[in-house]
Amino acid sequence: MMNKITWLLLLLIFPLSLISQTSIPDQTEKGKPSDAFNKLMIMGREGKYDSVIIIGSQLLNEQPNYTGLLKIRGLAYLQLADYLSAYKDFSSATSLSPDSSDYWFLQAFAAEKAELTTEAKMSIERSLLLNDKKAQSWYIKGNLLTKEDKLDEALNCYNRAIGLQKGYADALAMKGYILYRRRENPIAIETLQLAIAADNQFSLPYFYIGLCYLEDEKPSDALKSFDNAMRLGYDEGDLYHYRGLAMLQLRRFDDACDMWKEAVLRGYTLSKAMSKRYCRH
């Protein structure tokens, strides 16, 4: 559940930054640089992802082995949530440049989003084998391990990511979540506050802090944290579910029922049991 949320946020931020950092490939790239490549990068920065795909596809018809074009088109597919197409582009890039840790990393990213878990695990291991100094690779490996409930191994990965990139808000948030899952709430809250200090517009740490307070039976503090997460744009069903649980602890039964109704509307079906037990129908 939490891992899915983190990936959704990462999707909004990470691929765009990659497009902005992409440069014209050097002479070791497969395929020859095109004069249109800079235009594609500008389109990517401007959010014109459909145009990137259309023009990139035309150029790839002429230069099918141009890995730089595969990369930027794959990033555009990611932004449009076409994860399988992104995976295919990055897979083609790794076939052409098997020694590029960057392409293996992107292939892992897209594979996880396309729910190709086996391929994601293989790709991230290959990326780390080629370059174990990339914080984002350790972060992705940690997320894959979290999905498998291998919490100790995941925590090690998040620690590696944080060690490589100080103030890595995403990794700090997921480390805090793992500590919460291990019922180490005081240190979880401290870690999540570090994530907020690194990025005060990041909603997830507030949500996770709310979970810690809720477990500690501090419902008023939990609601404040959940409200901060909502203020920053977090609008998933689990937020409403746990807000409902906090209101239940405060004996605000009608408000709790309203929250569970909102959670169900957002696809969080676990709230149905709470509604059945506590709410009038």
Side-chain angles (χ1 to χ4, degrees):
M1 175 186 64
M2 309 306 173
N3 191 26
K4 177 183 177 183
I5 297 164
T6 302
W7 281 110
L8 288 172
L9 288 170
L10 186 61
L11 175 64
L12 295 174
I13 301 167
F14 186 65
L16 180 57
S17 67
L18 282 174
I19 288 177
S20 68
Q21 295 166 15
T22 301
S23 58
I24 295 177
D26 58 31
Q27 296 304 312
T28 65
E29 290 275 15
K30 301 291 194 301
K32 298 179 181 179
S34 165
D35 291 339
F37 194 84
N38 278 334
K39 293 181 180 179
L40 288 179
M41 290 192 295
I42 292 171
M43 289 177 185
R45 295 188 188 105
E46 293 175 346
K48 299 176 180 178
Y49 306 119
D50 287 317
S51 297
V52 171
I53 291 169
I54 292 170
I55 297 174
S57 297
Q58 293 170 350
L59 294 171
L60 281 165
N61 286 334
E62 301 171 4
Q63 300 185 66
N65 294 335
Y66 187 3
T67 52
L69 286 173
L70 287 166
K71 176 180 180 179
I72 199 167
R73 187 176 71 174
L75 292 170
Y77 278 131
L78 278 181
Q79 287 287 358
L80 296 176
D82 188 347
Y83 309 126
L84 187 57
S85 293
Y87 171 75
K88 290 178 180 178
D89 272 357
F90 299 138
S91 181
S92 295
T94 58
S95 297
L96 292 165
S97 298
D99 294 329
S100 170
S101 63
D102 183 34
Y103 292 148
W104 284 107
F105 166 76
L106 289 169
Q107 182 173 317
F109 185 91
E112 201 280 341
K113 290 300 300 175
E115 298 184 359
L116 303 172
T117 303
T118 300
E119 289 81 357
K121 290 165 64 177
M122 179 275 293
S123 300
I124 204 62
E125 291 294 348
R126 185 65 180 271
S127 177
L128 285 166
L129 182 64
L130 292 165
N131 178 13
D132 66 355
K133 304 300 182 186
K134 187 181 183 72
Q136 290 85 353
S137 295
W138 287 108
Y139 172 74
I140 289 179
K141 183 175 180 179
N143 286 343
L144 291 167
L145 289 166
T146 300
K147 290 182 70 173
E148 297 178 339
D149 275 339
K150 297 179 179 178
L151 301 186
D152 291 342
E153 294 178 54
L155 183 60
N156 288 335
C157 290
Y158 295 133
N159 282 332
R160 289 289 296 269
I162 295 163
L164 289 166
Q165 183 176 320
K166 302 300 182 185
Y168 190 171
D170 296 281
L172 286 165
M174 287 306 296
K175 177 180 178 179
Y177 170 63
I178 295 295
L179 293 169
Y180 155 75
R181 288 277 305 276
R182 288 171 32 155
R183 299 185 182 278
E184 300 177 32
N185 286 351
I187 189 170
I189 292 172
E190 290 181 10
T191 304
L192 292 163
Q193 288 172 338
L194 291 175
I196 292 170
D199 182 359
N200 62 11
Q201 298 302 303
F202 190 10
S203 62
L204 271 182
Y206 287 106
F207 176 61
Y208 294 156
I209 287 174
L211 296 180
C212 293
Y213 283 138
L214 186 61
E215 189 172 88
D216 291 342
E217 297 186 359
K218 298 178 179 178
S220 295
D221 291 332
L223 283 176
K224 290 178 183 177
S225 292
F226 293 147
D227 287 346
N228 279 327
M230 185 178 292
R231 172 178 57 83
L232 292 171
Y234 189 68
D235 196 45
E236 300 293 328
D238 54 356
L239 173 64
Y240 291 88
H241 177 79
Y242 288 106
R243 288 186 91 241
L245 293 181
M247 291 169 178
L248 180 65
Q249 287 186 9
L250 292 168
R251 304 187 68 81
R252 292 167 51 184
F253 299 111
D254 289 343
D255 291 335
C257 290
D258 288 342
M259 288 299 101
W260 294 327
K261 181 178 179 181
E262 291 294 328
V264 172
L265 288 173
R266 287 163 175 78
Y268 199 79
T269 57
L270 292 179
S271 295
K272 290 181 179 180
M274 300 304 296
S275 294
K276 185 176 180 180
R277 181 174 180 180
Y278 291 101
C279 304
R280 296 187 296 271
H281 298 284

